[in-house]
Amino acid sequence: MGNIYLPLLTVTIILTSFTMISYGTIISVAVPSVMGEFGVGQDKAQLLATGFYVAMTISQLVSSWLINKISHYYTYLLSVILFSFASILGAISDDYYLIVLSRITQGISAGILLNQTYFSIVQAFPIERRATALILFTCSTISAMGAGPLIGGVAIEYVNWRYIFVAPLPLLILAFIFGNIVMPKSETSKTLNFDWLGMFFITLCLSSFLAAISDGQRRGWVSNYVLILFIVSFLTALLFIYIQLNRQNSLLDFRLFKNKVYFCGIIITFCTSMGNFGAIYAVPIFAQVIQNLSPIDAGFMMFPASIFTLLCLPVISFFSNRIISRNACIFGLFLFSLGLYPLVSADINTPYLFMICFAAISRIGIGINNPFLGKVTISEIPQEQLQSAISVMNFFRILGTAIGTSIWVVFLERRASLHSTNLINTQTADNTTSTDILAKLQVLLETEGIRELQSMQLSLHFIESLIYKEALTLAYQDGFVLLLGIFLFAIIVSFTFGRR
């Protein structure tokens, strides 16, 4: 195809990665709607996000084997078809767990496709242009992080939350057409073995962990059921690591961790994924639940941030070969922390424009960090180990996303329960603020013709709702402190890169 091949491949990769990431982030604005329609709490509703990410974590391990077994071409086409089928299933299903299953199926396809596209763009561009290629890849992911909640908000506001499953499909169809042209039908290996035992243990490990996180709040964190799930998750994790260290055809090459730069890069990748996607999940829900914004306003909150980031990335690309990667990583992580810090005290009165500005600063920071982090992490990896190194890096990136979102939701609910209990304990006869509000409310309701007993019940219900809202606000603020701490830790680790 000559000179047109590389640009067309790049467009295909950008469209594919944009669609996959947007499907990951689009669900955040739909969580309140899902909770209302199916009568589930956040511990169950978060399965729509974490189930997707856990499936991505596991399935991307299959990507390299599939490429070698059936070629880039068929791996890409079959994954896109499976993803499209799952999207339609989610849009038409009335059962909540069937919708979760469709999200898991989407995640399986997305994990394969994201790993394949990342490796394709690294492989297609020469080393001296790799930073530029990774910045292009980052452009698609950053824009998708902002576009996903906005697309979801528009769908919920003007149609129905179910349309979030099919809204981005036209882009995927276009990518499918291009992929049919540019994806190579490379030689396949008929003798390549796959580590099915390792796949079984990592699947059981993450599934058990996700089930424990999902049911812990409802069944009790020290119940036999939840404790057994955590024990199974821990033991299978140890077995998985043991198998990977002692098998030739392993899913993950943990020997790569002997390289200090690569090991530190993986730690930072894991931390930034935990904090980044935790914030992407939290901010739109915070905007709807605490600030009472509409889904479209909550979704739009992240969109200008992506636009600002995209405007900055060409400048970063131009100077990419002149900037020390370590300094770029530290600066990007610092910007994200700077944008996240004001959210520690955000509440219902925080202006909408301020929230947009905070999001923009943090998005620019992650846009600067990600391509340079990817570049420096694999900088000392030999060419023959590059595919394995990228596979391990993507595994921990998506694992951080899944675990970060799950733990953050649990942390939020635990802190909300604690703050609610503390606030309820302050509601005594000596609390003049509450007694004054109750008295004024009763007078107001009685003047409207409501009986004394009913007016007292309505007034108490109003106070109860205020307490719940305040407890939830404090819990979100604690959650943002947790995310901030993760990024500050990543900044400290970044100094170990040296002048690279």
Side-chain angles (χ1 to χ4, degrees):
M1 296 179 65
N3 295 333
I4 196 175
Y5 175 78
L6 194 57
L8 191 58
L9 176 66
T10 304
V11 170
T12 304
I13 289 170
I14 287 174
L15 284 174
T16 306
S17 59
F18 177 90
T19 308
M20 296 302 105
I21 297 297
S22 64
Y23 265 106
T25 59
I26 200 172
I27 199 67
S28 59
V29 291
V31 167
S33 300
V34 172
M35 291 169 65
E37 180 160 336
F38 292 100
V40 296
Q42 266 207 76
D43 57 339
K44 290 293 185 184
Q46 56 96 19
L47 285 173
L48 295 174
T50 54
F52 181 89
Y53 292 130
V54 166
M56 280 180 68
T57 304
I58 297 169
S59 67
Q60 66 93 28
L61 297 174
V62 187
S63 181
S64 296
W65 179 77
L66 278 176
I67 291 169
N68 288 315
K69 202 73 175 176
I70 63 174
S71 80
H72 266 288
Y73 179 82
Y74 290 109
T75 299
Y76 184 85
L77 297 190
L78 290 174
S79 298
V80 171
I81 291 170
L82 180 63
F83 190 96
S84 303
F85 170 77
S87 300
I88 296 170
L89 176 65
I92 63 175
S93 298
D94 291 325
D95 182 77
Y96 175 71
Y97 288 101
L98 198 56
I99 293 173
V100 172
L101 178 63
S102 73
R103 286 288 292 174
I104 291 172
T105 308
Q106 282 184 328
I108 291 171
S109 300
I112 295 170
L113 288 168
L114 278 176
N115 196 55
Q116 182 184 15
T117 52
Y118 191 92
F119 179 69
S120 296
I121 203 167
V122 169
Q123 195 176 44
F125 282 80
I127 294 176
E128 63 274 10
R129 295 175 60 191
R130 190 170 289 166
T132 302
L134 291 174
I135 286 173
L136 288 173
F137 187 83
T138 301
C139 282
S140 66
T141 57
I142 290 291
S143 57
M145 289 175 191
L150 178 59
I151 294 170
V154 171
I156 294 168
E157 190 83 7
Y158 295 108
V159 194
N160 185 282
W161 68 266
R162 293 179 179 276
Y163 281 80
I164 66 173
F165 283 93
V166 295
L169 272 185
L171 290 178
L172 191 60
I173 293 171
L174 185 60
F176 180 84
I177 295 170
F178 289 162
N180 193 51
I181 299 170
V182 298
M183 285 297 169
K185 296 180 181 179
S186 53
E187 293 185 5
T188 59
S189 172
K190 303 299 181 184
T191 59
L192 185 66
N193 295 321
F194 184 73
D195 184 9
W196 293 108
L197 186 61
M199 176 60 75
F200 169 76
F201 281 128
I202 191 62
T203 302
L204 185 58
C205 168
L206 294 178
S207 300
S208 301
F209 178 81
L210 187 61
I213 290 293
S214 174
D215 293 335
Q217 190 74 1
R218 183 168 52 90
R219 295 204 179 198
W221 294 104
V222 294
S223 65
N224 291 337
Y225 173 77
V226 173
L227 288 176
I228 288 171
L229 286 174
F230 276 127
I231 291 170
V232 169
S233 180
F234 176 73
L235 292 177
T236 50
L238 293 179
L239 287 169
F240 174 74
I241 294 171
Y242 175 80
I243 290 171
Q244 300 312 293
L245 291 173
N246 291 278
R247 282 205 172 188
Q248 186 175 0
N249 293 318
S250 59
L251 295 173
L252 296 175
D253 188 359
F254 285 114
R255 291 170 297 181
L256 292 165
F257 291 147
K258 293 178 181 179
N259 185 298
K260 178 185 173 183
V261 173
Y262 184 78
F263 179 69
C264 292
I266 293 298
I267 292 175
I268 298 169
T269 299
F270 183 80
C271 291
T272 53
S273 294
M274 286 183 68
N276 181 30
F277 280 88
I280 290 171
Y281 179 84
V283 170
I285 299 176
F286 174 86
Q288 290 182 79
V289 174
I290 302 300
Q291 298 191 311
N292 301 317
L293 295 179
S294 66
I296 191 170
D297 287 335
F300 182 78
M301 188 177 291
M302 305 295 289
F303 187 69
S306 296
I307 299 300
F308 293 147
T309 306
L310 290 176
L311 293 175
C312 292
L313 285 177
V315 179
I316 300 168
S317 177
F318 180 78
F319 291 103
S320 60
N321 291 323
R322 309 174 194 179
I323 301 174
I324 298 174
S325 295
R326 181 200 65 180
N327 295 345
C329 289
I330 293 172
F331 181 66
L333 293 171
F334 171 76
L335 278 184
F336 191 98
S337 303
L338 189 65
L340 193 61
Y341 178 74
L343 297 181
V344 170
S345 57
D347 56 23
I348 191 173
N349 298 312
T350 304
Y352 183 67
L353 184 59
F354 282 14
M355 295 292 290
I356 291 177
C357 291
F358 301 155
I361 294 171
S362 63
R363 288 301 99 209
I364 292 171
I366 209 69
I368 293 172
N369 172 77
N370 280 1
F372 288 99
L373 177 59
K375 177 186 175 184
V376 72
T377 300
I378 60 175
S379 61
E380 295 185 356
I381 302 299
Q383 185 67 28
E384 63 273 12
Q385 291 183 293
L386 194 58
Q387 186 168 348
S388 296
I390 291 173
S391 181
V392 173
M393 184 167 64
N394 284 338
F395 173 83
F396 281 97
R397 176 185 288 113
I398 305 170
L399 181 64
T401 299
I403 291 179
T405 305
S406 300
I407 291 177
W408 192 88
V409 169
V410 169
F411 181 81
L412 176 72
E413 293 201 339
R414 298 286 291 177
R415 296 300 295 176
S417 177
L418 176 64
H419 287 303
S420 181
T421 301
N422 291 338
L423 289 171
I424 289 172
N425 290 337
T426 65
Q427 304 307 301
T428 64
D430 296 327
N431 191 324
T432 55
T433 302
S434 295
T435 53
D436 287 346
I437 292 175
L438 278 173
K440 290 176 181 178
L441 280 172
Q442 277 189 274
V443 172
L444 182 63
L445 291 171
E446 288 172 9
T447 56
E448 295 294 326
I450 298 175
R451 296 177 182 178
E452 182 179 354
L453 180 60
Q454 289 178 315
S455 66
M456 172 61 77
Q457 292 174 337
L458 289 172
S459 300
L460 288 172
H461 178 71
F462 178 75
I463 292 292
E464 181 184 342
S465 64
L466 286 180
I467 291 173
Y468 173 75
K469 197 68 169 283
E470 181 63 20
L472 204 54
T473 300
L474 293 172
Y476 271 97
Q477 291 174 353
D478 292 343
F480 290 130
V481 171
L482 177 64
L483 297 177
L484 183 62
I486 291 171
F487 271 87
L488 292 177
F489 173 74
I491 290 174
I492 295 171
V493 178
S494 298
F495 282 96
T496 61
F497 281 145
R499 295 187 61 81
R500 288 177 175 81

